[in-house]
């Protein structure tokens, strides 16, 4: 289920989120159109605003607006993006920083020409670096982390554009999957830990890069490989070339991409199918926490693959017992005379003929604050007429906020950081509640030591500036 967390509830440094989708194409006559389609497929990664920057070999052209890709771009606007290379960006919606100037790509002129950037991830020392740059006289146009990177590139000394980017990024800490566009080349780069995914593909003779491979399918591109942690991939008229720009101390792929964020039809992290992993989470859950029940239903859409896995493993029939309204917009008017569970009702409704008198297993991917589960369970009993409701969650309890690009509320607001499973069960009024265990999760993802699981174990792989970690009482893996 889509959910927006208000950024007012976060600590001040945590109000800029870069939970996004990025796309790039070099060497295709329809570059802007491909970028449009790629971003269309990546819309789930960000709905606040989007943009495309193209190059005709001499000049970079930028079009961006607030809103959804399909609302922003039409044929006329795409025609204003000439050239055979383009990069694009979908930005996630969070209040406060929801303004056009933060919508990417960001475009700047510097000593070596023009450069545009599209960034997915969150920097943990952006505030500190920004303060330093401002003290030295830099003027910022946006409140986005990514602009810090542009300033650092502009200030770096090297005449070699690749060394310049490397130099700029050497002190930047956090998650950054990046794609840059220059007049005659595209450069893709992933942070040393590889927190956010970034894949390389090919369509005809053109190279493409994208946060997820669902963006390749829509344009008939072939998934080749990922940009490796710390790797810089340079794509220009000479073909494709790679530099290990930043030393990678370890991998820390975000495991929440598998649980919730990526689309199930995508392959991420070295050709791993998201749907298969999600389904296996559900199977494991059924092995570890079986339920005596008549029907398994998912919380759509994110709970679907795990519910299929749970049903397959347990032999309990699967059905769509909750129907999601796919046309719910961002704003709606709540009736004056308050209707119970209105917020959830507008998105989901139980199918009474499936649930009445039944013992129901409800599978969702995660519990954050607990409000969704509580409302859904109430609705399944009151409107659906279920006899028993057994909640199964296909991830471990969420106990740590993410500082690397997934939008989560503060630690205090994460119900599992302050409550035991039995207390959460009571709060959401389930007959039983079980989560996937951390060992269960580790048994399913390939090379389990290569993941960031800080949201489940509080072990943060990328260090924060000292004062921030003290303030947050964080421990580092
Ligand atoms: P809550 O009501 O706070 O417990 O939220 C739980 C619901 O939010 C689940 O249905 C999840 O699918 C969904 N969810 C989990 N993480 C996120 C996220 N980062 N952004 C939006 N929705 C999320």
């Amino acid at each position: 289920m889509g959910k927006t967390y208000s950024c007012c509830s976060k600590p001040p440094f945590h109000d800029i989120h870069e939970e996004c989708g990025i796309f790039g194409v070099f060497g295709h006559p329809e570059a802007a159109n491909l970028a449009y389609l790629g971003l269309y497929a990546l819309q789930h990664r960000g709905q606040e605003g989007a943009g495309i920057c193209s190059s005709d070999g001499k000049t970079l052209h930028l079009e961006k607006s607030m809103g959804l890709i399909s609302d922003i771009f039409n044929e006329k606007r795409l025609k204003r993006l000439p050239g055979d290379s383009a990069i694009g960006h979908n930005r996630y919606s969070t209040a406060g920083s929801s303004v056009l100037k933060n919508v990417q790509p960001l475009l700047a002129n510097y000593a070596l020409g023009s450069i545009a950037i599209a960034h997915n991830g969150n920097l943990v020392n952006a505030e500190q670096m920004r303060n330093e740059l401002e003290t030295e006289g830099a003027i910022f146009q946006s409140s986005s982390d990514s602009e810090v990177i542009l300033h650092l590139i502009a200030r770096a000394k090297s005449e070699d554009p690749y060394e310049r980017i490397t130099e700029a990024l050497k002190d930047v800490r956090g998650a950054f999957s990046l794609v840059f566009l220059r007049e005659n080349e595209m450069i893709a780069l992933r942070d040393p830990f590889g927190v956010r995914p970034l894949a390389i593909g090919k369509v005809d003779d053109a190279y493409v890069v994208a946060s997820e491979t669902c963006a390749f399918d829509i344009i008939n591109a072939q998934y080749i490989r990922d940009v490796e942690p710390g790797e810089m991939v340079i794509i220009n008229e000479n073909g494709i070339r790679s530099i290990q720009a930043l030393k990678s101390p370890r991998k820390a792929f975000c495991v929440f991409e598998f649980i919730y964020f990526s689309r199930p039809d995508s392959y991420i992290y070295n050709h791993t199918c998201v749907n298969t992993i999600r389904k296996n989470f559900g199977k494991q859950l059924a092995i570890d926490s079986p339920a005596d029940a008549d029907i398994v239903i998912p919380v759509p859409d994110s709970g679907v693959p795990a519910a299929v896995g749970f049903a397959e493993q347990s032999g309990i029939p699967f059905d769509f017992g909750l129907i999601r309204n796919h046309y719910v917009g961002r704003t709606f008017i709540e009736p004056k005379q308050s209707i119970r569970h209105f917020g959830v009702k507008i998105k989901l409704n139980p199918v009474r003929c499936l649930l009445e008198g039944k013992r129901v297993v409800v599978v969702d991917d995660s519990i954050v604050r607990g409000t969704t589960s509580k409302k859904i369970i109430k609705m399944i009993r009151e409107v659906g007429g279920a006899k028993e409701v057994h909640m199964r969650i296909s991830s471990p309890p969420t106990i740590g906020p993410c500082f690397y690009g997934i939008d989560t509320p503060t630690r205090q607001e994460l119900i599992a950081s302050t409550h035991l499973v039995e207390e959460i069960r009571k709060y959401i009024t389930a007959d039983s509640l079980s989560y996937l265990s951390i060992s269960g999760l580790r048994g399913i993802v390939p090379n389990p030591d290569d993941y960031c699981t800080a949201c489940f174990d509080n072990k943060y792989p990328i260090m924060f500036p000292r004062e921030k970690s003290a303030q947050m009482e964080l421990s580092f893996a």
Side-chain angles (χ1 to χ4, degrees), residues 255 258 272-288 394 436-448 451:
V255 82
F258 277 140
T272 312
C273 172
V274 175
N275 187 72
T276 306
I277 298 284
R278 251 175 228 178
K279 208 167 145 183
N280 288 342
F281 286 159
K283 284 187 177 178
Q284 192 62 45
L285 199 50
I287 295 167
D288 298 340
S394 62
L436 182 67
S437 64
I438 292 190
S439 61
L441 177 142
R442 286 177 57 86
I444 288 160
V445 296
N447 307 315
Y451 289 84

PDB file of all heavy atoms in Angstrom, residues 255 258 272-288 394 436-448 451:
ATOM      1  N   VAL A 255      17.955  -4.340   1.516  1.00  0.00           N
ATOM      2  CA  VAL A 255      17.101  -5.532   1.468  1.00  0.00           C
ATOM      3  C   VAL A 255      15.631  -5.146   1.320  1.00  0.00           C
ATOM      4  O   VAL A 255      14.814  -5.933   0.848  1.00  0.00           O
ATOM      5  CB  VAL A 255      17.365  -6.431   2.709  1.00  0.00           C
ATOM      6  CG1 VAL A 255      16.594  -5.955   3.928  1.00  0.00           C
ATOM      7  CG2 VAL A 255      17.038  -7.887   2.405  1.00  0.00           C
ATOM      8  N   PHE A 258      13.842  -5.626  -1.954  1.00  0.00           N
ATOM      9  CA  PHE A 258      13.207  -6.927  -2.174  1.00  0.00           C
ATOM     10  C   PHE A 258      11.849  -7.007  -1.472  1.00  0.00           C
ATOM     11  O   PHE A 258      10.911  -7.595  -1.987  1.00  0.00           O
ATOM     12  CB  PHE A 258      14.080  -8.058  -1.621  1.00  0.00           C
ATOM     13  CG  PHE A 258      15.171  -8.518  -2.539  1.00  0.00           C
ATOM     14  CD1 PHE A 258      16.428  -8.826  -2.050  1.00  0.00           C
ATOM     15  CD2 PHE A 258      14.946  -8.663  -3.902  1.00  0.00           C
ATOM     16  CE1 PHE A 258      17.446  -9.259  -2.891  1.00  0.00           C
ATOM     17  CE2 PHE A 258      15.948  -9.095  -4.757  1.00  0.00           C
ATOM     18  CZ  PHE A 258      17.197  -9.396  -4.252  1.00  0.00           C
ATOM     19  N   THR A 272      18.740 -10.971  -9.774  1.00  0.00           N
ATOM     20  CA  THR A 272      17.862 -11.690  -8.840  1.00  0.00           C
ATOM     21  C   THR A 272      16.422 -11.217  -9.032  1.00  0.00           C
ATOM     22  O   THR A 272      16.144 -10.013  -8.995  1.00  0.00           O
ATOM     23  CB  THR A 272      18.305 -11.430  -7.381  1.00  0.00           C
ATOM     24  OG1 THR A 272      19.720 -11.621  -7.308  1.00  0.00           O
ATOM     25  CG2 THR A 272      17.610 -12.380  -6.428  1.00  0.00           C
ATOM     26  N   CYS A 273      15.523 -12.183  -9.222  1.00  0.00           N
ATOM     27  CA  CYS A 273      14.122 -11.868  -9.498  1.00  0.00           C
ATOM     28  C   CYS A 273      13.413 -11.458  -8.195  1.00  0.00           C
ATOM     29  O   CYS A 273      13.353 -12.227  -7.233  1.00  0.00           O
ATOM     30  CB  CYS A 273      13.442 -13.097 -10.106  1.00  0.00           C
ATOM     31  SG  CYS A 273      11.676 -12.886 -10.278  1.00  0.00           S
ATOM     32  N   VAL A 274      12.874 -10.252  -8.176  1.00  0.00           N
ATOM     33  CA  VAL A 274      12.229  -9.737  -6.958  1.00  0.00           C
ATOM     34  C   VAL A 274      11.027 -10.598  -6.588  1.00  0.00           C
ATOM     35  O   VAL A 274      10.819 -10.939  -5.418  1.00  0.00           O
ATOM     36  CB  VAL A 274      11.817  -8.250  -7.156  1.00  0.00           C
ATOM     37  CG1 VAL A 274      11.037  -7.738  -5.947  1.00  0.00           C
ATOM     38  CG2 VAL A 274      13.042  -7.381  -7.416  1.00  0.00           C
ATOM     39  N   ASN A 275      10.254 -11.015  -7.588  1.00  0.00           N
ATOM     40  CA  ASN A 275       9.066 -11.818  -7.309  1.00  0.00           C
ATOM     41  C   ASN A 275       9.434 -13.135  -6.618  1.00  0.00           C
ATOM     42  O   ASN A 275       8.779 -13.545  -5.656  1.00  0.00           O
ATOM     43  CB  ASN A 275       8.305 -12.101  -8.600  1.00  0.00           C
ATOM     44  CG  ASN A 275       6.981 -12.793  -8.329  1.00  0.00           C
ATOM     45  OD1 ASN A 275       6.057 -12.161  -7.820  1.00  0.00           O
ATOM     46  ND2 ASN A 275       6.895 -14.086  -8.605  1.00  0.00           N
ATOM     47  N   THR A 276      10.495 -13.784  -7.109  1.00  0.00           N
ATOM     48  CA  THR A 276      10.900 -15.070  -6.520  1.00  0.00           C
ATOM     49  C   THR A 276      11.290 -14.890  -5.057  1.00  0.00           C
ATOM     50  O   THR A 276      10.889 -15.682  -4.196  1.00  0.00           O
ATOM     51  CB  THR A 276      12.094 -15.657  -7.317  1.00  0.00           C
ATOM     52  OG1 THR A 276      11.707 -15.719  -8.679  1.00  0.00           O
ATOM     53  CG2 THR A 276      12.488 -17.026  -6.815  1.00  0.00           C
ATOM     54  N   ILE A 277      12.064 -13.852  -4.777  1.00  0.00           N
ATOM     55  CA  ILE A 277      12.499 -13.605  -3.390  1.00  0.00           C
ATOM     56  C   ILE A 277      11.274 -13.349  -2.506  1.00  0.00           C
ATOM     57  O   ILE A 277      11.124 -13.939  -1.432  1.00  0.00           O
ATOM     58  CB  ILE A 277      13.468 -12.400  -3.320  1.00  0.00           C
ATOM     59  CG1 ILE A 277      14.729 -12.683  -4.135  1.00  0.00           C
ATOM     60  CG2 ILE A 277      13.778 -12.007  -1.888  1.00  0.00           C
ATOM     61  CD1 ILE A 277      15.722 -13.620  -3.500  1.00  0.00           C
ATOM     62  N   ARG A 278      10.375 -12.499  -2.981  1.00  0.00           N
ATOM     63  CA  ARG A 278       9.186 -12.152  -2.198  1.00  0.00           C
ATOM     64  C   ARG A 278       8.323 -13.387  -1.932  1.00  0.00           C
ATOM     65  O   ARG A 278       7.803 -13.584  -0.838  1.00  0.00           O
ATOM     66  CB  ARG A 278       8.362 -11.118  -2.957  1.00  0.00           C
ATOM     67  CG  ARG A 278       8.447  -9.779  -2.305  1.00  0.00           C
ATOM     68  CD  ARG A 278       7.757  -8.715  -3.083  1.00  0.00           C
ATOM     69  NE  ARG A 278       8.690  -7.602  -3.150  1.00  0.00           N
ATOM     70  CZ  ARG A 278       8.465  -6.481  -3.788  1.00  0.00           C
ATOM     71  NH1 ARG A 278       7.338  -6.314  -4.438  1.00  0.00           N
ATOM     72  NH2 ARG A 278       9.356  -5.525  -3.783  1.00  0.00           N
ATOM     73  N   LYS A 279       8.176 -14.224  -2.949  1.00  0.00           N
ATOM     74  CA  LYS A 279       7.374 -15.441  -2.807  1.00  0.00           C
ATOM     75  C   LYS A 279       8.030 -16.388  -1.796  1.00  0.00           C
ATOM     76  O   LYS A 279       7.357 -16.980  -0.952  1.00  0.00           O
ATOM     77  CB  LYS A 279       7.289 -16.120  -4.186  1.00  0.00           C
ATOM     78  CG  LYS A 279       6.056 -16.923  -4.375  1.00  0.00           C
ATOM     79  CD  LYS A 279       5.893 -17.270  -5.825  1.00  0.00           C
ATOM     80  CE  LYS A 279       5.295 -18.643  -5.932  1.00  0.00           C
ATOM     81  NZ  LYS A 279       5.168 -19.101  -7.305  1.00  0.00           N
ATOM     82  N   ASN A 280       9.365 -16.479  -1.878  1.00  0.00           N
ATOM     83  CA  ASN A 280      10.078 -17.342  -0.936  1.00  0.00           C
ATOM     84  C   ASN A 280       9.995 -16.827   0.496  1.00  0.00           C
ATOM     85  O   ASN A 280       9.990 -17.616   1.444  1.00  0.00           O
ATOM     86  CB  ASN A 280      11.536 -17.519  -1.357  1.00  0.00           C
ATOM     87  CG  ASN A 280      11.649 -18.399  -2.594  1.00  0.00           C
ATOM     88  OD1 ASN A 280      10.711 -19.135  -2.924  1.00  0.00           O
ATOM     89  ND2 ASN A 280      12.770 -18.322  -3.292  1.00  0.00           N
ATOM     90  N   PHE A 281       9.925 -15.501   0.664  1.00  0.00           N
ATOM     91  CA  PHE A 281       9.695 -14.953   2.014  1.00  0.00           C
ATOM     92  C   PHE A 281       8.374 -15.513   2.554  1.00  0.00           C
ATOM     93  O   PHE A 281       8.275 -15.917   3.707  1.00  0.00           O
ATOM     94  CB  PHE A 281       9.603 -13.420   1.979  1.00  0.00           C
ATOM     95  CG  PHE A 281      10.913 -12.699   1.773  1.00  0.00           C
ATOM     96  CD1 PHE A 281      10.920 -11.392   1.286  1.00  0.00           C
ATOM     97  CD2 PHE A 281      12.127 -13.279   2.087  1.00  0.00           C
ATOM     98  CE1 PHE A 281      12.114 -10.688   1.105  1.00  0.00           C
ATOM     99  CE2 PHE A 281      13.329 -12.594   1.902  1.00  0.00           C
ATOM    100  CZ  PHE A 281      13.314 -11.297   1.414  1.00  0.00           C
ATOM    101  N   GLY A 282       7.351 -15.527   1.697  1.00  0.00           N
ATOM    102  CA  GLY A 282       6.030 -16.030   2.101  1.00  0.00           C
ATOM    103  C   GLY A 282       6.062 -17.514   2.422  1.00  0.00           C
ATOM    104  O   GLY A 282       5.443 -17.969   3.385  1.00  0.00           O
ATOM    105  N   LYS A 283       6.813 -18.276   1.620  1.00  0.00           N
ATOM    106  CA  LYS A 283       6.924 -19.728   1.858  1.00  0.00           C
ATOM    107  C   LYS A 283       7.589 -19.972   3.205  1.00  0.00           C
ATOM    108  O   LYS A 283       7.142 -20.813   3.992  1.00  0.00           O
ATOM    109  CB  LYS A 283       7.760 -20.382   0.753  1.00  0.00           C
ATOM    110  CG  LYS A 283       7.010 -20.542  -0.537  1.00  0.00           C
ATOM    111  CD  LYS A 283       7.837 -21.342  -1.527  1.00  0.00           C
ATOM    112  CE  LYS A 283       7.046 -21.570  -2.803  1.00  0.00           C
ATOM    113  NZ  LYS A 283       7.767 -22.280  -3.819  1.00  0.00           N
ATOM    114  N   GLN A 284       8.680 -19.229   3.466  1.00  0.00           N
ATOM    115  CA  GLN A 284       9.404 -19.390   4.721  1.00  0.00           C
ATOM    116  C   GLN A 284       8.506 -19.059   5.915  1.00  0.00           C
ATOM    117  O   GLN A 284       8.522 -19.740   6.947  1.00  0.00           O
ATOM    118  CB  GLN A 284      10.642 -18.474   4.711  1.00  0.00           C
ATOM    119  CG  GLN A 284      11.635 -18.754   5.817  1.00  0.00           C
ATOM    120  CD  GLN A 284      12.210 -20.158   5.732  1.00  0.00           C
ATOM    121  OE1 GLN A 284      12.584 -20.615   4.668  1.00  0.00           O
ATOM    122  NE2 GLN A 284      12.234 -20.856   6.871  1.00  0.00           N
ATOM    123  N   LEU A 285       7.722 -18.020   5.743  1.00  0.00           N
ATOM    124  CA  LEU A 285       6.790 -17.592   6.792  1.00  0.00           C
ATOM    125  C   LEU A 285       5.786 -18.706   7.091  1.00  0.00           C
ATOM    126  O   LEU A 285       5.455 -18.972   8.254  1.00  0.00           O
ATOM    127  CB  LEU A 285       6.084 -16.331   6.286  1.00  0.00           C
ATOM    128  CG  LEU A 285       5.380 -15.386   7.234  1.00  0.00           C
ATOM    129  CD1 LEU A 285       6.251 -14.987   8.416  1.00  0.00           C
ATOM    130  CD2 LEU A 285       4.951 -14.140   6.468  1.00  0.00           C
ATOM    131  N   ALA A 286       5.321 -19.376   6.045  1.00  0.00           N
ATOM    132  CA  ALA A 286       4.354 -20.471   6.225  1.00  0.00           C
ATOM    133  C   ALA A 286       5.008 -21.652   6.945  1.00  0.00           C
ATOM    134  O   ALA A 286       4.356 -22.349   7.730  1.00  0.00           O
ATOM    135  CB  ALA A 286       3.812 -20.911   4.863  1.00  0.00           C
ATOM    136  N   ILE A 287       6.316 -21.864   6.697  1.00  0.00           N
ATOM    137  CA  ILE A 287       7.029 -22.957   7.371  1.00  0.00           C
ATOM    138  C   ILE A 287       7.220 -22.611   8.844  1.00  0.00           C
ATOM    139  O   ILE A 287       6.933 -23.406   9.735  1.00  0.00           O
ATOM    140  CB  ILE A 287       8.403 -23.219   6.684  1.00  0.00           C
ATOM    141  CG1 ILE A 287       8.190 -23.728   5.262  1.00  0.00           C
ATOM    142  CG2 ILE A 287       9.258 -24.183   7.507  1.00  0.00           C
ATOM    143  CD1 ILE A 287       9.453 -23.724   4.388  1.00  0.00           C
ATOM    144  N   ASP A 288       7.682 -21.384   9.106  1.00  0.00           N
ATOM    145  CA  ASP A 288       8.013 -20.978  10.479  1.00  0.00           C
ATOM    146  C   ASP A 288       6.783 -20.648  11.309  1.00  0.00           C
ATOM    147  O   ASP A 288       6.776 -20.854  12.520  1.00  0.00           O
ATOM    148  CB  ASP A 288       8.937 -19.741  10.467  1.00  0.00           C
ATOM    149  CG  ASP A 288      10.259 -20.026   9.776  1.00  0.00           C
ATOM    150  OD1 ASP A 288      10.614 -21.213   9.649  1.00  0.00           O
ATOM    151  OD2 ASP A 288      10.932 -19.049   9.366  1.00  0.00           O
ATOM    152  N   SER A 394       5.816 -10.489   5.870  1.00  0.00           N
ATOM    153  CA  SER A 394       6.915 -11.132   5.139  1.00  0.00           C
ATOM    154  C   SER A 394       8.240 -10.392   5.269  1.00  0.00           C
ATOM    155  O   SER A 394       9.061 -10.393   4.346  1.00  0.00           O
ATOM    156  CB  SER A 394       6.531 -11.296   3.667  1.00  0.00           C
ATOM    157  OG  SER A 394       6.309 -10.034   3.095  1.00  0.00           O
ATOM    158  N   LEU A 436       8.435 -12.646   9.540  1.00  0.00           N
ATOM    159  CA  LEU A 436       9.569 -13.438   9.045  1.00  0.00           C
ATOM    160  C   LEU A 436      10.751 -13.147   9.978  1.00  0.00           C
ATOM    161  O   LEU A 436      10.931 -12.004  10.411  1.00  0.00           O
ATOM    162  CB  LEU A 436       9.907 -12.990   7.616  1.00  0.00           C
ATOM    163  CG  LEU A 436      11.037 -13.728   6.889  1.00  0.00           C
ATOM    164  CD1 LEU A 436      10.643 -15.175   6.599  1.00  0.00           C
ATOM    165  CD2 LEU A 436      11.373 -13.031   5.559  1.00  0.00           C
ATOM    166  N   SER A 437      11.535 -14.178  10.295  1.00  0.00           N
ATOM    167  CA  SER A 437      12.689 -13.943  11.172  1.00  0.00           C
ATOM    168  C   SER A 437      13.861 -13.416  10.345  1.00  0.00           C
ATOM    169  O   SER A 437      13.905 -13.593   9.117  1.00  0.00           O
ATOM    170  CB  SER A 437      13.106 -15.239  11.853  1.00  0.00           C
ATOM    171  OG  SER A 437      13.551 -16.151  10.865  1.00  0.00           O
ATOM    172  N   ILE A 438      14.835 -12.801  11.029  1.00  0.00           N
ATOM    173  CA  ILE A 438      16.023 -12.316  10.301  1.00  0.00           C
ATOM    174  C   ILE A 438      16.764 -13.506   9.698  1.00  0.00           C
ATOM    175  O   ILE A 438      17.213 -13.450   8.555  1.00  0.00           O
ATOM    176  CB  ILE A 438      16.944 -11.483  11.226  1.00  0.00           C
ATOM    177  CG1 ILE A 438      16.241 -10.183  11.590  1.00  0.00           C
ATOM    178  CG2 ILE A 438      18.290 -11.205  10.542  1.00  0.00           C
ATOM    179  CD1 ILE A 438      17.070  -9.143  12.288  1.00  0.00           C
ATOM    180  N   SER A 439      16.828 -14.626  10.438  1.00  0.00           N
ATOM    181  CA  SER A 439      17.539 -15.788   9.869  1.00  0.00           C
ATOM    182  C   SER A 439      16.760 -16.357   8.682  1.00  0.00           C
ATOM    183  O   SER A 439      17.356 -16.807   7.701  1.00  0.00           O
ATOM    184  CB  SER A 439      17.816 -16.840  10.941  1.00  0.00           C
ATOM    185  OG  SER A 439      16.589 -17.298  11.460  1.00  0.00           O
ATOM    186  N   GLY A 440      15.437 -16.305   8.743  1.00  0.00           N
ATOM    187  CA  GLY A 440      14.611 -16.747   7.608  1.00  0.00           C
ATOM    188  C   GLY A 440      14.895 -15.894   6.382  1.00  0.00           C
ATOM    189  O   GLY A 440      15.052 -16.407   5.272  1.00  0.00           O
ATOM    190  N   LEU A 441      14.967 -14.588   6.607  1.00  0.00           N
ATOM    191  CA  LEU A 441      15.251 -13.658   5.500  1.00  0.00           C
ATOM    192  C   LEU A 441      16.644 -13.927   4.928  1.00  0.00           C
ATOM    193  O   LEU A 441      16.833 -14.007   3.712  1.00  0.00           O
ATOM    194  CB  LEU A 441      15.141 -12.222   6.024  1.00  0.00           C
ATOM    195  CG  LEU A 441      15.466 -11.085   5.052  1.00  0.00           C
ATOM    196  CD1 LEU A 441      14.512  -9.922   5.270  1.00  0.00           C
ATOM    197  CD2 LEU A 441      16.877 -10.586   5.219  1.00  0.00           C
ATOM    198  N   ARG A 442      17.615 -14.101   5.821  1.00  0.00           N
ATOM    199  CA  ARG A 442      18.998 -14.328   5.373  1.00  0.00           C
ATOM    200  C   ARG A 442      19.134 -15.649   4.606  1.00  0.00           C
ATOM    201  O   ARG A 442      20.006 -15.782   3.750  1.00  0.00           O
ATOM    202  CB  ARG A 442      19.956 -14.318   6.574  1.00  0.00           C
ATOM    203  CG  ARG A 442      20.207 -12.913   7.128  1.00  0.00           C
ATOM    204  CD  ARG A 442      21.101 -12.973   8.360  1.00  0.00           C
ATOM    205  NE  ARG A 442      22.373 -13.622   8.093  1.00  0.00           N
ATOM    206  CZ  ARG A 442      23.455 -13.021   7.616  1.00  0.00           C
ATOM    207  NH1 ARG A 442      23.417 -11.734   7.375  1.00  0.00           N
ATOM    208  NH2 ARG A 442      24.563 -13.698   7.401  1.00  0.00           N
ATOM    209  N   GLY A 443      18.283 -16.598   4.917  1.00  0.00           N
ATOM    210  CA  GLY A 443      18.326 -17.881   4.233  1.00  0.00           C
ATOM    211  C   GLY A 443      17.805 -17.794   2.799  1.00  0.00           C
ATOM    212  O   GLY A 443      18.003 -18.713   2.003  1.00  0.00           O
ATOM    213  N   ILE A 444      17.122 -16.714   2.474  1.00  0.00           N
ATOM    214  CA  ILE A 444      16.488 -16.605   1.155  1.00  0.00           C
ATOM    215  C   ILE A 444      17.261 -15.698   0.195  1.00  0.00           C
ATOM    216  O   ILE A 444      17.397 -16.018  -0.988  1.00  0.00           O
ATOM    217  CB  ILE A 444      15.021 -16.140   1.317  1.00  0.00           C
ATOM    218  CG1 ILE A 444      14.220 -17.301   1.891  1.00  0.00           C
ATOM    219  CG2 ILE A 444      14.423 -15.663   0.007  1.00  0.00           C
ATOM    220  CD1 ILE A 444      12.946 -16.930   2.538  1.00  0.00           C
ATOM    221  N   VAL A 445      17.785 -14.572   0.708  1.00  0.00           N
ATOM    222  CA  VAL A 445      18.498 -13.670  -0.217  1.00  0.00           C
ATOM    223  C   VAL A 445      19.869 -14.258  -0.546  1.00  0.00           C
ATOM    224  O   VAL A 445      20.514 -14.853   0.316  1.00  0.00           O
ATOM    225  CB  VAL A 445      18.651 -12.237   0.369  1.00  0.00           C
ATOM    226  CG1 VAL A 445      17.287 -11.591   0.558  1.00  0.00           C
ATOM    227  CG2 VAL A 445      19.427 -12.221   1.683  1.00  0.00           C
ATOM    228  N   PRO A 446      20.315 -14.125  -1.799  1.00  0.00           N
ATOM    229  CA  PRO A 446      21.650 -14.664  -2.128  1.00  0.00           C
ATOM    230  C   PRO A 446      22.744 -13.864  -1.419  1.00  0.00           C
ATOM    231  O   PRO A 446      22.610 -12.654  -1.257  1.00  0.00           O
ATOM    232  CB  PRO A 446      21.738 -14.489  -3.651  1.00  0.00           C
ATOM    233  CG  PRO A 446      20.640 -13.565  -4.042  1.00  0.00           C
ATOM    234  CD  PRO A 446      19.636 -13.511  -2.950  1.00  0.00           C
ATOM    235  N   ASN A 447      23.811 -14.524  -0.995  1.00  0.00           N
ATOM    236  CA  ASN A 447      24.936 -13.875  -0.283  1.00  0.00           C
ATOM    237  C   ASN A 447      24.444 -12.902   0.803  1.00  0.00           C
ATOM    238  O   ASN A 447      24.598 -11.689   0.681  1.00  0.00           O
ATOM    239  CB  ASN A 447      25.845 -13.129  -1.257  1.00  0.00           C
ATOM    240  CG  ASN A 447      26.306 -14.023  -2.391  1.00  0.00           C
ATOM    241  OD1 ASN A 447      26.699 -15.169  -2.145  1.00  0.00           O
ATOM    242  ND2 ASN A 447      26.215 -13.553  -3.615  1.00  0.00           N
ATOM    243  N   PRO A 448      23.824 -13.425   1.865  1.00  0.00           N
ATOM    244  CA  PRO A 448      23.147 -12.557   2.835  1.00  0.00           C
ATOM    245  C   PRO A 448      24.023 -11.504   3.504  1.00  0.00           C
ATOM    246  O   PRO A 448      23.499 -10.490   3.970  1.00  0.00           O
ATOM    247  CB  PRO A 448      22.600 -13.536   3.876  1.00  0.00           C
ATOM    248  CG  PRO A 448      23.288 -14.823   3.629  1.00  0.00           C
ATOM    249  CD  PRO A 448      23.675 -14.848   2.201  1.00  0.00           C
ATOM    250  N   TYR A 451      24.042  -7.432   2.316  1.00  0.00           N
ATOM    251  CA  TYR A 451      22.865  -6.564   2.407  1.00  0.00           C
ATOM    252  C   TYR A 451      22.932  -5.602   3.579  1.00  0.00           C
ATOM    253  O   TYR A 451      23.544  -5.913   4.608  1.00  0.00           O
ATOM    254  CB  TYR A 451      21.589  -7.418   2.518  1.00  0.00           C
ATOM    255  CG  TYR A 451      21.297  -8.105   1.220  1.00  0.00           C
ATOM    256  CD1 TYR A 451      21.913  -9.314   0.919  1.00  0.00           C
ATOM    257  CD2 TYR A 451      20.488  -7.510   0.265  1.00  0.00           C
ATOM    258  CE1 TYR A 451      21.701  -9.928  -0.303  1.00  0.00           C
ATOM    259  CE2 TYR A 451      20.274  -8.117  -0.958  1.00  0.00           C
ATOM    260  CZ  TYR A 451      20.875  -9.320  -1.235  1.00  0.00           C
ATOM    261  OH  TYR A 451      20.672  -9.909  -2.447  1.00  0.00           O
TER     262      TYR A 451
END
